[in-house]
Amino acid sequence: MSGFLLSWAATVPDYAAPLLIAALGLVICEKAGVLNLAPEGVMAVGAMTGALVVMGGQGPWTGLAVGALAGMALSLCFGLAVVVFRADQTLTGLATVAAGLGLSGLFGRDAVQKPFTGLPRFGETGWGADLPRLLGQQNAVIVLALVLMVAVGLWLGRSRAGLRLRAVGEDPAAADVAGVNVQRVQLLAIAASGLLGGLAGAYLSVVSAQVWVEGMIAGRGWIVVALVIFAGWRPGMVLVGALLFGGAEALMPRLQAVGVAFPVYIGAMLPYALTLVVFVVAMLRQRGADVAPAALGRVFLRQDRH
Amino acid sequence: MIASMLRAGAVLALPFLAAGSAQAFELKAPPKIAFIYATTVKDGGWNEAIDQGREALADELHTKIAVAENIPEDATSLRNAIDLYVKRGYNIIVGTTYGYSEAMAEAAKAYPDVAFFNASGVNNSDNMESFYARTYQAWYLAGMAAGDMSKTGKVGILAGFPVGVVNWDLNGFARGVQAAKPDAQTIAVFTNSWWDPVKEGQVAEAILDQGADELATNLSAASALNAAEKRPAGAIGYQLDMSAAAPKQIITSVVFHWDKYLVPRIKEVIAGTWKPEPYGWFEGLSSGVVGLAPWGPNVPESTKEKVAAAEKQIIDGDLKVYAGPVLRQDGTEVVPAGKVLPEEDLWTMDYFVKGVIGTMPKTQ
């Protein structure tokens, strides 16, 4: 039993890390008032680019970095449409998903199912061979994700720039009057979310699977969207949510492997059902309005300022 | 694509819809061949295996074969593609997924002078034939190798969804394992997705953590084999030869050779001697469409010999994978000793055989 729990616990961070990274990006973006449904597409581009770079002979860190930049590039296209041209954020987000999936399929066409050597786990490196399993199963990006979480939390909550960003998400008109460049803040927030979304995607191909397949994000981008709502746009809660979602996903196959009769379809539904419950509870307690950035999804036009 | 192809088993109470007359089909114009795929052909799995068959066919006939990719499995999309091909004079059209079944049958009715084929489909008529392979026979052989090589007495296999054509692979594998080592257990886990290399790698590790020392994948991601390579544990792939993903630990892969069906079949169509099988074309090891890839470096000679002997017995018809006694996981009897599982019960297989550790979700 303890062996079962230990091996399960050791794998949870690998499930949770990409969700955490992408969700942190999304928190930044949505705290600035931009409703962003694009993660699935952004992560797809990040995964494909990261894999191609590593297959091209570069190291895994280069792959992760270039994957992150590719995610940012796609995210900026989204930003251009919604911030500069004021397109509808929901529709543009969905279009960005389609574009991301299509682009990754197009450029990754000849790279499908070709295994490569990605980022090693601590236990696979020379210095980490003797680490206990719980640590040896982890990798450097997981550590980076935790650092990012703390940094994003502090930056959003404690810094002047973070305050400005939140002001834009709560009341862009007021922020505008106070001298904040609303469009620039939103564009930067969208760029940051793309960077982290791309990194999360590249994590999946370069660290987790070490192979690329079209459509390999497999709905994780949507889980990220749900996760951010679940977490109430708070970085600390994003970690809790990522561990919960990742832990449940990691548990399912392990229960099957020991023959426990667990309803797998209910298990697969759990993250989404949980999000709905949290959402409904938040609304019932009339906290909903406080939890979500007040101007989320609203297009800010300066001439409409009241 | 593969997803819906495998859903076939779940829906299929009656196996194949029968065709009527026994007239040979004749082309009215010079042959022009087109293949229609539901996804990209470069999927490293099901579609790529069929596309290799298409390439072999093109080489053999010294002709070009048109390819349409990413044609969704809905009636309108497929019909548009077929209409366009027929207008341009194509008269042999091959589909590659169960999801095309109904729409293609409609098109076959509308274009009686065009020959239609559909991989893993269910419809057949005077000018249409569905085809699939008895994959469970090859999985039985793969299971024998894994069981024979296992030291812990536990082997594992991961798969997509619990539908008939997947379950018969898992059970065939488990029975092969037991044929080599009667008390060995087979851990079977469903990932509940067809396309998720991240999950497949993680599920592979979950199985290995439970003590399996040989691991097979009924899906096509290299990540599962990669997990076995690192452990190390023996690895068995599917659809294509996946030895590149586990060069040291690979045992073999269950592979398709669709050219063995497509080349002679299309030649018959061109020669005017083709009579569609009324219940679809459904063959196994003896036809060569399914089999094992070359052995990996660690496979002992004794294992190879045992598997070769069983292969010969299956081809000769002396060994039936689902010959009784077949017991369910809980010990209840499906097929008594001396009987063989009826053909139509293959498609509706919704249980694990005895010796499998795993959860078969209830369908009702």
Side-chain angles (χ1 to χ4, degrees), chain B residues 86-271:
Chain B
V86 172
K87 257 182 220 152
R88 285 161 53 193
Y90 285 85
N91 49 15
I92 300 175
I93 293 179
V94 183
T96 55
T97 166
Y98 165 75
Y100 287 169
S101 298
E102 291 299 325
M104 190 174 259
E106 297 262 314
K109 221 179 270 172
Y111 301 118
D113 294 337
V114 176
F116 287 93
F117 293 88
N118 194 16
S120 74
V122 289
N123 295 66
N124 301 280
S125 68
D126 290 346
N127 60 330
M128 177 168 176
E129 180 172 278
S130 294
F131 60 97
Y132 194 58
R134 295 178 190 273
T135 49
Y136 59 87
Q137 294 181 343
W139 275 109
Y140 181 88
L141 299 181
M144 277 190 79
D148 202 50
M149 289 173 68
S150 172
K151 291 186 177 63
T152 61
K154 263 189 190 174
V155 304
I157 182 165
L158 58 127
F161 286 94
V163 295
V165 292
V166 169
N167 294 342
W168 80 35
D169 285 350
L170 301 187
N171 285 332
F173 181 75
R175 285 176 72 80
V177 169
Q178 289 159 15
K181 204 167 257 151
D183 54 352
Q185 291 179 305
T186 304
I187 299 171
V189 177
F190 295 108
T191 64
N192 288 310
S193 80
W194 301 115
W195 287 110
D196 195 337
V198 179
K199 207 171 187 179
E200 287 167 44
Q202 289 163 334
V203 169
E205 289 197 55
I207 293 173
L208 294 170
D209 283 346
Q210 287 308 313
D213 63 348
E214 318 290 339
L215 178 86
T217 180
N218 193 252
L219 293 155
S220 38
S223 44
L225 282 82
N226 196 252
E229 177 85 357
K230 282 183 184 162
R231 187 62 54 132
I236 295 172
Y238 191 31
Q239 316 272 12
L240 301 168
D241 185 345
M242 289 166 76
S243 53
K248 290 199 197 86
Q249 293 301 325
I250 190 81
I251 297 173
T252 182
S253 300
V254 171
V255 292
F256 289 110
H257 298 285
W258 289 115
D259 54 315
K260 297 274 198 295
Y261 165 77
L262 288 168
V263 171
R265 213 57 168 174
I266 303 290
K267 277 186 171 170
E268 280 179 29
V269 176
I270 295 169

Side-chain angles (χ1 to χ4, degrees), chain A residues 109 113 121 254 256 260, chain B residues 69 190 196 205 209 220 359:
Chain A
R109 189 175 162 81
Q113 296 285 22
R121 294 173 176 163
R254 283 169 193 275
Q256 283 191 58
V260 173
Chain B
E69 295 177 80
F190 295 108
D196 195 337
E205 289 197 55
D209 283 346
S220 38
T359 319

